Amino acid sequence: MCGIVGIVSVGENSVNQEIYDALTILQHRGQDAAGIVTCENGRFYQRKDNGLVKDVFRTRHMRDLIGTMGIGHVRYPTAGSSSSAEAQPFYVNSPYGIVMGHNGNLTNAEQVAQEIYRQDLRHLNTNSDSEVLLNVFAHELMQDRKMEISEEDIFEAIAKVHKRVRGGYAAVGMISTIGIFAFRDPYGLRPCVVGQRQTAYGTDYMIASESVALDGLGFKLLKDLAPGEAVVITDKGEISFKQCAENPVYSPCIFEFVYFARPDSMIDDISVYKSRLRMGEKLAEKILREWPDHDIDVVMPIPDTSRTSAIELANKLGTPYREGFIKNRYIGRTFIMPGQHLRKKSVRQKLNAIGLEFEGKNVLLIDDSIVRGTTSGQIVQMAREAGAKKVYFASAAPAVRYPYVYGIDMPSPAELVASNHTTEEVAEIIGCDKLIYQDLDDLVEAVSAGSERVNQFDTSCFSGVYATGDITPEYLASLDQARNDDAQNANKQKSGQETVGIHNRS
């Protein structure tokens, strides 16, 4: 999962600081690398490297990022390379000079990479599928070999991209002679919003992964890009939209609402915060239905993503809500940390228990989801060490049983704790006295209740049903080989860095 940003300002001020601010707001989507490219008088100015936004950009870098239009990207660590060569945006000089940043994953990246080399005669310099996407777009854009291109030429190239690539993707790009553009995959799996802001000079426009980035910079949400839709914003501030996919279907990723997106974001007109409130309500209804004589003394969230659901669940149960764990905000998100050892080490660094809230009580811990079970098991143990009499555990999401292939680097099926275990077995593995999962129908209802136009979601990590319909057992097996921790460690020892081929996630 990554964050993308693009800004066109019709005034005289450079956009570098605002792109920096937007990437900081979207830092939760990627903590591995960051990059900004701006454009002035047809020339690109770039800075990108591994690290958090605040560490990648110094004053000397910001001075060099001149121009009234630009794009930015934050990348999260995955099964792929941690080399700075994988930091985005990527650049190609032909045709016209193009840069692009991408959030998602191409499921046919290996096949398309071969086509790019053998048919398009283009060279790929990294293992990133984002570079694949950029080169496909660049190749399609140059087919008419025009000296000057129009918005319609860009839309036609994007339409051809949709025909060649598969998977989940939201991309933002910039062409030196035109302006910025963005497009979303035909299923709307990855989010992408467009905002506008009135100034004394005219209308500025912004593209971002989440609406919260628009809010922070004073932009008003204009619209979410629809599945398959594209937008072009010229350096003069002219904006055009066009549907570029033949058969678009709304099927956004439901895990955005469960975990990745910030609660103050709107995605496809759905409030992430309200969705999580309803998740807590649905989970409480299940507890009251299946466990009416429960002996829960207190409800506690595992900060931060589950807090919203936990508050509503406690209200519905009529049980006290307490903050039993305090989070160190300077430790990254455990879910997206590479390597089991690092994930284990970070849990106790990230959370500290308040013993007085646990002592002698039957505690219900609420988390957004359970993936490997590593974090959950350690947190249950911490609750017991803090004096809890009994520790119950509830997940605001259903059991994660299948790998996710559209840009969230969920691990190998063998490392998913629920993959081959019953609920009771998972409870035993993580060490809790009772485990409650959200029902999938309830999760879908909790999210879809906020929208009049979206009534289906990609729930593949819970259901094994993939929205694009092209995921084969062979593809999942290759993904398994690339994603499991043993394979990553072996590759790291072999190459000196975590490189596993084309399966890098953006």
Side-chain angles (χ1 to χ4, degrees), residues 184 187-189 249-257 267-268 270 275 278 404 406 440-441 443-451 453-463 465-467:
R184 195 176 181 190
Y187 296 88
L189 287 159
V249 177
Y250 244 125
S251 189
C253 169
I254 206 163
F255 213 74
E256 287 277 358
F257 299 90
I267 298 177
D268 294 313
I270 301 171
S275 296
R278 290 188 290 267
Y404 189 79
Y406 302 123
L440 181 55
D441 289 344
L443 175 61
V444 172
E445 187 175 340
V447 181
S448 63
S451 174
R453 63 182 179 182
V454 183
N455 53 25
Q456 74 177 54
F457 298 86
D458 179 80
T459 62
S460 52
C461 59
F462 309 121
S463 64
V465 178
Y466 294 90

Side-chain angles (χ1 to χ4, degrees), residues 258 368-370 395-401 437-441 443 462:
V258 170
D368 52 77
S369 58
I370 304 171
S395 168
V400 177
R401 301 185 186 280
Y437 280 114
Q438 184 85 266
D439 290 335
L440 181 55
D441 289 344
L443 175 61
F462 309 121

Side-chain angles (χ1 to χ4, degrees), residues 207-421:
I207 296 161
S209 290
E210 295 183 35
S211 64
V212 66
L214 307 180
D215 300 338
L217 275 67
F219 286 77
K220 299 296 184 183
L221 177 63
L222 179 61
K223 64 175 294 183
D224 293 79
L225 286 186
E229 189 176 23
V231 60
V232 176
I233 306 167
T234 70
D235 54 5
K236 304 294 190 298
E238 301 161 336
I239 188 168
S240 304
F241 295 92
K242 186 172 183 178
Q243 176 54 251
C244 296
E246 293 181 347
N247 297 297
V249 177
Y250 244 125
S251 189
C253 169
I254 206 163
F255 213 74
E256 287 277 358
F257 299 90
V258 170
Y259 175 80
F260 263 102
R262 268 181 45 164
D264 43 345
S265 284
M266 298 286 294
I267 298 177
D268 294 313
D269 292 333
I270 301 171
S271 164
V272 176
Y273 177 77
K274 292 289 188 181
S275 296
R276 290 177 184 169
L277 283 177
R278 290 188 290 267
M279 291 176 205
E281 182 180 348
K282 293 289 185 183
L283 197 53
E285 290 173 356
K286 180 175 181 178
I287 291 172
L288 292 172
R289 182 174 64 250
E290 298 185 359
W291 191 18
D293 57 344
H294 70 81
D295 59 350
I296 301 167
D297 294 322
V298 62
V299 173
M300 294 182 184
I302 297 170
D304 283 318
T305 322
S306 62
R307 183 173 284 118
T308 308
S309 297
I311 291 173
E312 190 65 13
L313 183 147
N315 288 337
K316 190 79 174 179
L317 291 183
T319 304
Y321 169 91
R322 294 290 184 270
E323 295 277 351
F325 291 104
I326 301 301
K327 181 180 179 181
N328 179 349
R329 299 184 182 278
Y330 301 97
I331 301 294
R333 302 181 88 176
T334 314
F335 173 83
I336 60 177
M337 284 185 174
Q340 186 81 329
H341 175 72
L342 187 56
R343 288 187 292 268
K344 279 187 173 184
K345 180 181 178 182
S346 71
V347 173
R348 289 182 180 265
Q349 293 178 336
K350 182 170 70 172
L351 297 177
N352 188 49
I354 302 175
L356 292 174
E357 295 297 338
F358 288 90
E359 192 170 354
K361 297 175 183 177
N362 297 333
V363 179
L364 176 62
L365 302 177
I366 312 296
D367 207 352
D368 52 77
S369 58
I370 304 171
V371 182
R372 298 172 179 87
T374 306
T375 301
S376 304
Q378 290 197 67
I379 290 172
V380 169
Q381 182 60 33
M382 290 172 66
R384 294 198 187 279
E385 291 172 359
K389 185 166 63 175
K390 290 184 180 179
V391 181
Y392 307 124
F393 204 102
S395 168
V400 177
R401 301 185 186 280
Y402 305 92
Y404 189 79
V405 302
Y406 302 123
I408 301 175
D409 195 49
M410 286 187 178
S412 153
E415 295 172 355
L416 295 171
V417 68
S419 179
N420 294 303
H421 294 103

